[in-house]
Amino acid sequence: MDIIKSLNDLLGGQLLLWKVILTSLVFAGAGLQVLLAARFYEASTVPPVSTGTAATAHRVNGTLTLGLAVAVAFTCLVGPAGPTSPTRVLLHSVFGTLVFVLLALKFAVLKRVWRAGDRYLPWIGSGLFLSFAAIWATSVADYITAR
Amino acid sequence: MRALRLLPLLALAGLLLAATPAANGAAAQAGGDAKIVDFDFAPRSLTVDAGTKVTWTNTGQRPHTASDRGGTFDTRPIAPGASAEVTFSTPGTYFYFCRINPAKMNGTVVVKPGDQPAKVTRVQAVDPGFTGDKLRFDPAELSVEAGSTLLVANVGGKPHTLTADDGSFDTGTITPGAEGGRFAGKNASITLTEPGTFKFHCEVHPAAMKGVVTVTGEAAGEAPAAASAGPRELDIGTEDFAFDPKDASIAPGGKVTVTNKGQAPHTLTFDDEPLDTGQIAPGATADLTAPDKPGSYSYRCTVHPARMRGVLVVLGRDTEDPNADAAARAAPAAPVAATGGGGGPGGGITAFGLATGLLAAFLGGIGLSAFALRRRGAGGG
C-alpha cells in the first residue's frame, strides 16, 4: 500500500503544502513552548499569566505540537523525497533525529527515570526549539526559497 | 554583555540563513527486467536489444529511482512494490543510478544495436568523477550512418566535449552532474552529415579522451525543420509534482504549450537554454518555442526542482524519436481537464511560512533571551 499516495490523494494532492503548513505550526508551537517555559520558570513576565496557567498551557501546547511533529515526521520517513541537495537532506535528518533524542531525554526527566536531569530541562527545551528551527530552515525555508 | 543577550537570537538567525539550499547480483543479464533492493540493483548490469522495455521493480522497503547518469531518463521515485519502465531505443552504454542513494546504487544497461542502422547512437564521456572510472569515451570507436546523431552523455564529474580533430563537429562543453558527478550530468547531440573517418577528442582532456567515428553512406543535407519526425506543437502538463509527459519530442522551433494542471504554481525552465515560462498559476498556460538545434534539452520546475524534471528532445531530420513509445501510450489517454479557478493553498504559502517562522523565532527568541538573562543574573548576583 502506498501510504504517501493515499495521503496525497486524501489531501487533494496537496501533501507537500500541508507538510509546509504543519511544519511551520510546529515551529511556532516550539517557540511558544520556550516562552511559556520561561514564564513558569519565572525568567520572564511574558505572557502576563500566572505560572500555573503557563505550565498548563505549556503541557497542552506541547502535546499538540508533538502530535503534529510526529505526523509530519512520519510522512518524511515513509515518503519518497528526491533531494534538492544532499546537504539539506542530511542536515534535516540530523536535526530530525536530534529532536527525538532530546524529547527522549526530556521525558526521562519528567517521568523521573533521570531525576538528576531536572536542572537541564531549560537546556533541553532550548535545544528542542533550536532543533525545530533548524528543521524549519532545512524544509520550509528551503521550499520557500526554491519558489 | 549586550552581545550575550543577543546570542540566542544570533544563533537562530544563523540557522535561518542555513536554509539557503546548498546547492546522490553482479553478473550481467540479458533481458528487460531488473529488481531494486535496498540498496542495490539486481542485476547491476543488463544487456538488451535496442527497443527493449526495461522494467525496474522495487522490492525494497524504501523508495528508489533508476536515473541515467547522462540525464536522458529518470523513473522518478519508485515506491516499494511499484515498478517503472524505460524503453531503450538508442544503442549505447547507460550508467544509471538511484538519485536518492547515489553513492550506493549504481548499475549499467548496455543497449545493443538492432537490425536497422541506428539513427541515434549514445556515446558516454566517462571520468574518475564519482564512479572511479578512467578518462575515456565509451565507445571510443564507432561507426554510424551519415545523417545520424551522436548523443553524448556526460556521466562523470568533469566537464567534457566531443570535438572533431578537424573541427567539423563539436558538442560544446557538456556539464557534469552536481557534486563531482554524484548526480546526473547533461548531454548534447550532434548530427553527422558528411561521410568519412573523423578522429575526435575532448577539448578539456585532449590527451586522455580520444576516439574515432566512421560515418558511412551518402552525405546527408542539413535538416529542414519541417522534415523532422517530431510534432510542430506539443502540450506539456504540470501536475503536483510531475511533468506530463516528462520526456517528449518536438520538431526544431516547435511550439510548446505548458498547462498547469496542479494546485501549486510551477515553471518549465530549461537547464542550459534561456527558455523559461516563468511561474504559471494553477489552471493557467504558457507558451515556449523549442530550440532550433536538434538535441536533448533537460528542464525542471524551479519551484520543485528536486521532483519535477524532464527532457525535451528536439528531433532533426530522420532522427529516431526516443519517446515514440511513450507518445503512443499517452495518445489514447483522455486529456486532463484543467482544474481552473486558481487558488488553493499554494498562493499564500510563502507568506504563511515566513510569517509563522518569524513568529516562532520571535516567541522562542524572547524565551531563550529570558533564560539567558536569568542565568546571567544568577551567575552575577
Side-chain angles (χ1 to χ4, degrees):
Chain A
M1 178 185 176
D2 188 341
I3 296 171
I4 287 299
K5 184 177 184 305
S6 304
L7 273 175
N8 197 36
D9 292 344
L10 189 69
L11 296 170
Q14 302 287 355
L15 176 61
L16 193 59
L17 291 173
W18 277 107
K19 284 178 72 173
V20 167
I21 291 168
L22 294 182
T23 305
S24 295
L25 289 176
V26 167
F27 183 29
L32 184 58
Q33 282 295 88
V34 179
L35 187 65
L36 291 169
R39 177 69 193 103
F40 68 73
Y41 268 81
E42 297 184 336
S44 167
T45 55
V46 180
V49 295
S50 69
T51 54
T53 304
T56 305
H58 181 86
R59 180 179 291 252
V60 172
N61 182 57
T63 305
L64 291 174
T65 302
L66 178 59
L68 288 180
V70 168
V72 176
F74 174 75
T75 62
C76 290
L77 289 172
V78 300
T84 50
S85 99
T87 310
R88 178 191 77 79
V89 175
L90 175 68
L91 288 173
H92 191 74
S93 308
V94 167
F95 285 111
T97 307
L98 183 60
V99 157
F100 288 97
V101 169
L102 290 172
L103 278 171
L105 279 177
K106 179 171 179 173
F107 283 116
V109 173
L110 293 178
K111 300 297 178 188
R112 299 292 173 195
V113 176
W114 180 34
R115 290 169 186 272
D118 258 356
R119 60 199 165 119
Y120 298 119
L121 274 179
W123 290 103
I124 295 172
S126 300
L128 265 174
F129 168 69
L130 292 174
S131 297
F132 276 122
I135 288 171
W136 184 89
T138 51
S139 54
V140 177
D142 177 74
Y143 179 89
I144 290 170
T145 51
R147 290 162 67 85
Chain B
M1 284 298 135
R2 276 179 72 83
L4 278 177
R5 296 185 198 182
L6 296 174
L7 267 181
L9 292 175
L10 287 173
L12 189 58
L15 283 169
L16 295 181
L17 282 174
T20 306
N24 225 325
Q29 174 180 309
D33 290 319
K35 285 180 183 174
I36 299 174
V37 296
D38 293 335
F39 292 82
D40 206 350
F41 296 105
R44 286 184 193 152
S45 182
L46 268 177
T47 299
V48 298
D49 292 321
T52 303
K53 185 189 293 178
V54 173
T55 303
W56 278 277
T57 302
N58 185 355
T59 60
Q61 300 298 312
R62 305 284 302 170
H64 299 289
T65 78
S67 310
D68 179 17
R69 285 207 168 272
T72 64
F73 69 84
D74 176 18
T75 61
R76 303 174 60 208
I78 308 168
S83 301
E85 299 170 347
V86 174
T87 300
F88 289 89
S89 52
T90 300
T93 302
Y94 293 74
F95 287 2
Y96 72 97
F97 70 119
C98 168
R99 60 180 165 82
I100 301 173
N101 307 281
K104 298 176 183 172
M105 299 178 63
N106 284 276
T108 306
V109 175
V110 178
V111 180
K112 295 188 294 186
D115 297 335
Q116 298 297 318
K119 297 295 183 188
V120 183
T121 303
R122 175 180 168 110
V123 177
Q124 294 196 135
V126 185
D127 64 47
F130 196 68
T131 55
D133 213 314
K134 63 179 183 181
L135 283 164
R136 64 187 173 99
F137 285 112
D138 177 20
E141 293 183 12
L142 66 159
S143 179
V144 299
E145 284 213 332
S148 66
T149 298
L150 289 187
L151 191 153
V152 186
N154 188 344
V155 298
K158 303 172 187 301
H160 298 293
T161 76
L162 191 151
T163 308
D165 288 4
D166 63 5
S168 58
F169 54 81
D170 179 18
T171 59
T173 302
I174 311 170
T175 53
E179 302 190 15
R182 184 179 173 88
F183 294 101
K186 307 292 185 205
N187 58 77
S189 297
I190 45 174
T191 300
L192 305 175
T193 55
E194 295 295 328
T197 300
F198 301 89
K199 290 183 178 178
F200 59 82
H201 65 278
C202 167
E203 290 272 81
V204 187
H205 310 92
M209 296 180 70
K210 296 175 182 176
V212 179
V213 57
T214 302
V215 183
T216 59
E218 294 182 1
E222 277 299 308
S228 169
R232 299 293 305 164
E233 295 187 353
L234 172 67
D235 292 323
I236 297 180
T238 62
E239 299 171 349
D240 297 340
F241 298 89
F243 290 106
D244 181 25
K246 180 169 67 71
D247 301 331
S249 302
I250 194 169
K255 180 183 172 188
V256 181
T257 301
V258 187
T259 304
N260 185 349
K261 298 169 181 172
Q263 297 295 312
H266 299 292
T267 79
L268 192 154
T269 308
F270 283 74
D271 291 332
D272 301 316
E273 295 291 319
L275 294 172
D276 182 8
T277 59
Q279 203 165 95
I280 310 169
T285 62
D287 293 333
L288 283 176
T289 301
D292 289 326
K293 186 180 172 189
S296 295
Y297 298 85
S298 59
Y299 59 81
R300 67 190 188 284
C301 166
T302 56
V303 185
H304 313 96
R307 297 180 179 211
M308 296 180 65
R309 299 193 70 87
V311 175
L312 181 69
V313 178
V314 177
L315 293 169
R317 191 185 69 160
D318 294 334
T319 304
E320 186 182 8
D321 184 357
N323 298 306
D325 283 1
R329 280 199 307 273
V336 178
T339 50
I349 196 68
T350 300
F352 175 83
L354 280 176
T356 318
L358 283 173
L359 174 68
F362 179 70
L363 295 175
I366 293 176
L368 290 180
S369 300
F371 276 119
L373 286 171
R374 176 177 182 250
R375 183 171 176 77
R376 194 168 65 88

